[in-house]
């Protein structure tokens, strides 16, 4: 039944030989690996305006230069990651680059940073997507968290079904979103430059109150918020093996397309927000600007929603754009679902994470990594009530730390190899590393108090966990390794077999017969729960017990596990050097649902005995026919 349901839900298993056919062409790889970066246009420029709006009407003048700086940073980082793609075609991105060129600890910092960012990517993308749809249906705001959890579950399910299926599912919303935003930017620029229609969204007569004077700190905080648009750029470098051959060439081409889309849309949306004096609804409601003339219209609208409403009105294109925005923001989490499991498997392969993360499931995906990412993201969404503005401060710290280490690692590699034009490549990587390091410091300092400290603490804890796991695996390997110096002939094993039973019936007999084949020192152990049954058990045992001695222990407190463990400890002391084999009889009903009608004492006994040294536990099953 379980196998049937699994195949029905997730699809038939795929053979390992199908792996190469499951790889993605560029037109599917772009939405799979770029949806995170491209979708950040929906909230990156908006967060810049929210951060600047506390300084009053100066916000619109300053937002445009910040948008230009963010777009320039997109270009710098993407050029650096193109170099990484060709240098490390097997994927791994920042982790591999940092580990091989800067040292293991720097690699672990990069890994912890990017894994943290992937979890936040899922949480922020889903929260922003649900916010976009709430702009169309405000009454749904009551169910914000529930909608976020459902969205994460849908994306996780699609990824558990397989790489190509998720790519085909996520391609249409991504391309529709890109098309809608380019239509918005083109129409908005046409109205401004050709028709000279620059009627403001926030009326020109309205003076935005100054809550905080404009300062370098406010500008830097706004810039750091806008830099959230860069999250997801590293995804292609992490997932190079998922591309069709030639992997590096296709991945680099996809990186260029993504950077072009992202940079141009950031510039376009930021410029329209600057020209039309848009003010995101999150800021309006947070600061209760109820004196704003069009408060009721703007209070639930995102920046993109306001611009579409202003340029096209609330017709079909507004609804289409909002649904496309919601879809790509929710599906932007897919980028993390592709790269978090893949990067986790690489870290686990290096013995810094649990080996279960290297397991490839029936559908040729890292199922354990997908499940782990889903649970972490859901916990974050519940903790922060699915609110994008509360999650953003945790965002971008990790990604810029990994950007910095990756680019400095590439600079060290290029300097060491000194291939053709190495000076130019070293200069590009060093310059990019300096810029991203500056951004990381700005983000960490400006947002430390309002949430960035959480991300920093998580990164530090993850590095410590990685080192502890690695220490365990190394110690285990040293203890298990066989060499000429450590090899010893195993000592002959003497065995004692003990059958745990509650009485005598047909299901016990195969266990008794099996125990007799294991050892001449064989006995049965029964824990007395009801003294009235003891005499009957003894009488029947003498008739049908196959000559195996029966030991009955009293249990005045009706405990089962305690007396068994105590008896086994005494048996080990009586027979030093013996291996105690505990035989557990178990009868199996014909129907799976009938299992719940019977006690699970055998299961609890197995769990209790699992960690006892010198004890072997074996089940002998008796299958019921009817």
């Amino acid at each position: 039944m379980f196998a049937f349901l699994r195949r029905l839900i997730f699809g038939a298993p795929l053979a390992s030989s199908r792996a190469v056919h499951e790889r993605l062409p560029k037109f599917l790889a772009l939405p799979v690996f770029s949806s995170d970066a491209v979708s950040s246009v929906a909230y990156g420029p908006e967060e810049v305006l929210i951060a600047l709006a506390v300084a009053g009407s100066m916000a619109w003048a300053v937002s445009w230069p910040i948008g230009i700086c963010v777009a320039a940073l997109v270009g710098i980082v993407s050029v650096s990651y193109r170099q990484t793609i060709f240098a490390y075609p097997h994927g791994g991105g920042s982790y591999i680059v940092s580990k091989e060129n800067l040292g293991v600890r720097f690699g672990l910092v990069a890994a912890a940073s990017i894994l943290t960012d992937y979890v936040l990517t899922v949480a922020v993308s889903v929260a922003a997507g649900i916010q976009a749809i709430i702009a169309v249906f405000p009454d749904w705001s009551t169910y914000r968290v529930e909608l976020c959890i459902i969205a994460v579950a849908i994306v996780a399910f699609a990824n558990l079904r397989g790489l190509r299926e998720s790519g085909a599912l996520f391609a249409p919303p991504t391309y529709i979103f890109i098309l809608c935003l380019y239509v918005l930017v083109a129409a908005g620029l046409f109205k401004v430059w050709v028709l000279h229609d620059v009627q403001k969204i926030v009326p020109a007569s309205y003076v935005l109150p100054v809550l905080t004077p404009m300062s370098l700190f406010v500008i830097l905080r706004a810039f750091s918020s806008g830099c959230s648009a860069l999250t997801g750029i590293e995804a292609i470098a992490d997932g190079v093996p998922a591309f069709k051959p030639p992997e590096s060439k296709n991945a680099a081409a996809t990186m260029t397309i993504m950077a072009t889309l992202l940079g141009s849309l950031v510039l376009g949306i930021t410029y329209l927000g600057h020209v039309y004096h848009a003010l995101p609804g999150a800021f309006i409601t947070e600061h209760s600007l109820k004196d704003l003339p069009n408060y009721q219209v703007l209070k639930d609208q995102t920046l993109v929603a306001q611009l579409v409403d202003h340029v096209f009105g609330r017709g079909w294109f507004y609804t289409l754009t909002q649904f496309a925005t919601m879809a790509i923001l929710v599906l932007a989490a897919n980028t993390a679902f592709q790269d978090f499991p893949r990067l986790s498997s690489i870290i686990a392969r290096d013995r810094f994470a649990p080996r279960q993360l290297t397991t490839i499931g029936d559908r040729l995906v890292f199922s354990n990594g997908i499940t782990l990412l889903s649970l972490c993201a859901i916990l974050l969404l519940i903790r922060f009530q699915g609110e994008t503005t509360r999650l953003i401060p945790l965002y971008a710290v990790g990604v810029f730390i990994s950007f910095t280490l990756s680019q400095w690692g590439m600079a060290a590699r290029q300097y060491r190899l000194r291939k053709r034009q190495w000076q130019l490549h070293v200069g590009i990587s060093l310059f990019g590393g300096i810029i991203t390091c500056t951004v990381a410091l700005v983000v960490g300092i400006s947002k430390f108090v309002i949430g960035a400290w959480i991300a920093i603490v998580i990164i530090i804890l993850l590095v410590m966990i990685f080192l502890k796991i690695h220490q365990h695996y190394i110690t285990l390997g040293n203890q298990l390794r066989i060499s000429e110096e450590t090899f010893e002939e195993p000592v002959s094993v003497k065995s004692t077999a003990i059958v745990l039973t509650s009485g005598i019936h047909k299901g016990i007999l195969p266990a008794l017969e099996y125990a007799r084949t294991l050892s001449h020192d064989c006995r049965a152990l029964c824990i007395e729960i009801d003294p009235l049954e003891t005499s009957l058990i003894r009488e029947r045992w003498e008739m049908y017990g196959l000559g195996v001695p029966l030991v009955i222990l009293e249990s005045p407190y009706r405990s089962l596990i305690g007396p068994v463990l105590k008896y086994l400890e005494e048996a080990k002391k009586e027979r030093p050097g013996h291996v105690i084999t505990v035989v557990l009889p178990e009868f199996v009903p014909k129907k799976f649902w009938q299992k719940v009608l019977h006690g699970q004492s055998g299961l609890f006994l197995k769990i209790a005995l699992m960690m006892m040294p010198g004890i072997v536990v074996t089940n002998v099953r008796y299958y019921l026919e009817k």
Side-chain angles (χ1 to χ4, degrees):
M1 177 62 69
F2 177 77
F4 169 76
L5 291 175
R6 182 182 179 85
R7 181 169 295 194
L8 181 67
I9 296 171
F10 297 109
L14 298 175
S16 299
S17 58
R18 287 284 306 166
V20 68
H21 302 290
E22 293 300 306
R23 295 188 181 184
L24 299 171
K26 291 193 290 292
F27 79 94
L28 283 181
L30 181 66
V32 167
F33 289 104
S34 302
S35 54
D36 177 20
V38 173
S39 69
S40 60
V41 176
Y43 55 81
E46 178 175 25
E47 291 299 323
V48 171
L49 277 174
I50 290 175
L52 290 173
V54 294
S57 300
M58 284 285 291
W60 295 298
V62 180
S63 63
W64 173 233
I66 289 179
I68 295 174
C69 292
V70 171
L73 191 57
V74 169
I76 293 169
V77 173
S78 61
V79 168
S80 178
Y81 269 107
R82 274 181 59 92
Q83 298 179 104
T84 302
I85 288 170
F86 287 107
Y88 294 93
H90 299 296
S94 304
Y95 166 64
I96 295 295
V97 174
S98 305
K99 182 171 74 75
E100 290 192 3
N101 299 290
L102 300 178
V104 172
R105 291 183 182 271
F106 285 104
L108 294 179
V109 171
S113 301
I114 206 68
L115 289 177
T116 302
D117 188 72
Y118 282 145
V119 175
L120 287 165
T121 292
V122 176
V124 171
S125 298
V126 168
I130 298 303
Q131 177 59 38
I133 206 63
I134 287 174
V136 180
F137 303 105
D139 293 341
W140 290 14
S141 61
T142 308
Y143 307 101
R144 183 191 304 270
V145 176
E146 290 82 356
L147 291 171
C148 288
I149 293 173
I150 292 171
V152 172
I154 291 172
V155 179
F157 171 74
N159 279 275
L160 287 171
R161 284 194 62 92
L163 186 63
R164 287 184 64 85
E165 289 193 26
S166 64
L169 174 65
F170 300 153
T174 302
Y175 286 119
I176 291 172
F177 173 79
I178 292 171
L179 179 62
C180 287
L181 257 60
Y182 271 118
V183 170
L184 167 64
V185 171
L189 294 178
F190 179 79
K191 290 184 72 172
V192 172
W193 291 348
V194 178
L195 302 180
H196 304 290
D197 181 3
V198 289
Q199 183 179 357
K200 310 295 184 184
I201 293 175
V202 174
S205 58
Y206 182 81
V207 179
L208 194 63
V210 177
L211 304 175
T212 303
M214 183 66 75
S215 63
L216 180 61
F217 179 79
V218 172
I219 294 173
L220 290 177
R221 175 179 285 186
F223 175 66
S224 65
S225 296
C227 285
S228 61
L230 274 76
T231 54
I233 285 185
E234 78 293 335
I236 293 176
D238 286 337
V240 177
F243 286 79
K244 281 187 175 295
E247 292 87 348
S248 294
K249 183 178 179 181
N250 287 331
T254 307
M255 172 70 77
T256 302
I257 296 170
M258 179 190 69
T260 304
L261 292 173
L262 177 58
S264 59
L265 287 175
V266 165
L267 287 174
I269 297 299
T270 303
Y271 180 75
L272 292 183
H274 153 75
V275 171
Y276 286 121
H277 283 201
L279 188 60
F283 181 86
I284 295 172
T285 53
E286 182 181 353
H287 295 284
S288 302
L289 302 181
K290 294 185 178 179
D291 57 333
L292 193 64
N294 47 354
Y295 170 80
Q296 290 298 329
V297 176
L298 301 180
K299 67 183 181 71
D300 291 317
Q301 286 192 328
T302 61
L303 172 62
V304 171
Q306 289 182 12
L307 292 174
V308 176
D309 187 10
H310 191 69
V311 174
F312 291 98
R314 289 213 178 188
W316 66 269
F317 187 75
Y318 175 86
T319 304
L320 174 65
T321 304
Q322 288 306 103
F323 273 101
T325 303
M326 182 275 295
I328 192 175
L329 283 168
V330 170
L331 301 181
N334 184 60
T335 299
F337 274 101
Q338 291 297 321
D339 281 333
F340 180 97
R342 195 178 303 277
L343 179 56
S344 298
S345 72
I346 294 173
I347 298 169
R349 185 189 62 199
D350 292 341
R351 297 188 292 185
F352 289 104
R355 295 303 298 269
Q356 293 92 324
L357 294 174
T358 63
T359 303
I360 299 178
D362 292 347
R363 299 290 295 178
L364 297 177
V365 293
F366 297 101
S367 307
N368 293 334
I370 292 172
T371 304
L372 176 62
L373 175 60
S374 305
L375 294 175
C376 292
I378 287 172
L379 288 175
L380 263 181
L381 288 165
I382 294 173
R383 171 63 182 81
F384 291 94
Q385 294 297 299
E387 295 181 11
T388 311
T389 306
R390 294 179 63 188
L391 286 163
I392 283 288
L394 284 70
Y395 208 27
V397 180
V399 73
F400 278 99
I401 292 174
S402 66
F403 283 170
T404 302
L405 293 174
S406 174
Q407 293 179 98
W408 285 351
M410 284 300 298
R413 181 181 189 275
Q414 291 151 352
Y415 179 78
R416 186 180 69 253
L417 298 178
R418 301 192 184 185
K419 293 183 178 180
R420 183 172 172 269
Q421 295 184 327
W422 67 270
Q423 296 96 331
L424 174 63
H425 295 305
V426 168
I428 292 173
S429 296
L430 279 178
F431 179 70
I434 292 170
I435 296 296
T436 53
C437 180
T438 303
V439 175
L441 291 172
V442 168
V443 173
I445 295 171
S446 64
K447 295 186 174 183
F448 186 83
V449 177
I450 60 174
W453 67 270
I454 299 175
I456 295 171
V457 169
I458 291 174
I459 291 169
I460 294 171
L461 289 175
L462 276 178
V463 172
M464 295 171 64
I465 292 170
F466 290 156
L467 292 172
K468 200 71 176 174
I469 290 173
H470 189 69
Q471 181 184 6
H472 164 74
Y473 281 132
I474 294 297
T475 303
L476 178 67
N478 291 336
Q479 291 183 14
L480 297 179
R481 188 176 296 110
I482 298 178
S483 64
E484 292 183 2
E485 293 79 13
T486 60
F487 177 74
E488 297 178 359
E489 288 284 349
V491 180
S492 59
V493 175
K494 296 180 180 179
S495 175
T496 297
I498 299 176
V499 182
L500 298 184
T501 180
S502 58
I504 183 72
H505 51 72
K506 285 186 178 181
I508 300 295
L509 299 181
L512 292 175
E513 185 61 30
Y514 176 72
R516 290 166 61 185
T517 66
L518 295 177
S519 172
H520 295 295
D521 185 4
C522 174
R523 74 196 78 163
L525 176 63
C526 177
I527 306 301
E528 182 185 80
I529 303 298
D530 185 357
L532 298 177
E533 294 184 1
T534 301
S535 58
L536 179 61
I537 291 174
R538 288 186 188 278
E539 180 183 340
R540 292 177 61 80
W541 195 271
E542 290 177 2
M543 298 171 60
Y544 306 114
L546 303 182
V548 176
L550 174 65
V551 178
I552 297 180
L553 294 181
E554 294 182 359
S555 180
Y557 298 102
R558 298 160 305 285
S559 170
L560 177 64
I561 295 176
V564 170
L565 297 181
K566 186 177 179 181
Y567 180 83
L568 292 176
E569 288 290 350
E570 292 175 356
K572 286 170 61 180
K573 292 176 182 177
E574 291 173 4
R575 290 165 175 76
H578 279 227
V579 173
I580 307 295
T581 301
V582 178
V583 180
L584 290 173
E586 178 183 5
F587 65 89
V588 182
K590 186 71 173 177
K591 305 293 185 180
F592 77 95
W593 58 268
Q594 295 170 345
K595 188 77 173 175
V596 301
L597 302 178
H598 303 279
Q600 303 299 319
S601 55
L603 175 62
F604 295 118
L605 275 168
K606 280 190 285 188
I607 295 173
L609 296 171
M610 192 181 301
M611 302 303 292
M612 286 189 69
I615 299 290
V616 176
V617 182
T618 183
N619 270 86
V620 177
R621 294 182 174 88
Y622 181 81
Y623 291 88
L624 302 177
E625 295 180 0
K626 295 182 181 179

